Amino acid sequence: MPSLQKALPPELADNALRLYRECLRRAKFIGSQQHNTGLLVSMVRQQFKKNMHETDPEKIQKMKDDAARGLINHIIYESEKMTGRKFSG
């Protein structure tokens, strides 16, 4: 399966720390709209902390792909909301 990270800028997709920071930014943004910022931020932190000592490159790639998928889904959702058009099937 090809990596979903190609849909993200390479400087974000190739760097776990930048990916983490972007996930936190999105969690804060969504949380501010739904009034549950603390919960969402703690969920993101918990997932990254839980996996921070992983050394298997395939598992790391899968986790990064999962994070990228979440970011892409949120970007598509916000774009659809702004334009009123549905981009996904």
Side-chain angles (χ1 to χ4, degrees), residues 51-84:
N51 299 303
M52 69 189 283
H53 297 295
E54 183 61 59
T55 57
D56 181 4
E58 288 183 19
K59 287 183 180 178
I60 292 170
Q61 187 62 46
K62 183 189 177 322
M63 289 183 279
K64 287 169 71 178
D65 284 347
D66 290 345
R69 185 178 299 110
L71 291 174
I72 292 165
N73 286 343
H74 183 256
I75 291 167
I76 290 171
Y77 172 78
E78 287 297 321
S79 297
E80 288 175 347
K81 215 165 74 171
M82 286 174 49
T83 63

Side-chain angles (χ1 to χ4, degrees), residues 2-52:
S3 174
L4 286 172
Q5 293 181 14
K6 290 184 175 35
L8 293 175
E11 64 275 4
L12 177 60
D14 295 336
N15 187 318
L17 182 59
R18 285 189 177 176
L19 190 57
Y20 171 69
R21 287 178 180 158
E22 185 58 31
C23 287
L24 282 177
R25 279 188 205 99
R26 293 285 168 170
K28 289 176 184 176
F29 175 76
I30 295 168
S32 69
Q33 292 180 328
Q34 298 179 355
H35 309 292
N36 61 351
T37 305
L39 174 65
L40 293 177
V41 168
S42 85
M43 287 172 63
V44 169
R45 285 187 176 139
Q46 180 183 18
Q47 284 300 307
F48 274 84
K49 281 183 180 182
K50 180 176 92 173
N51 299 303
M52 69 189 283

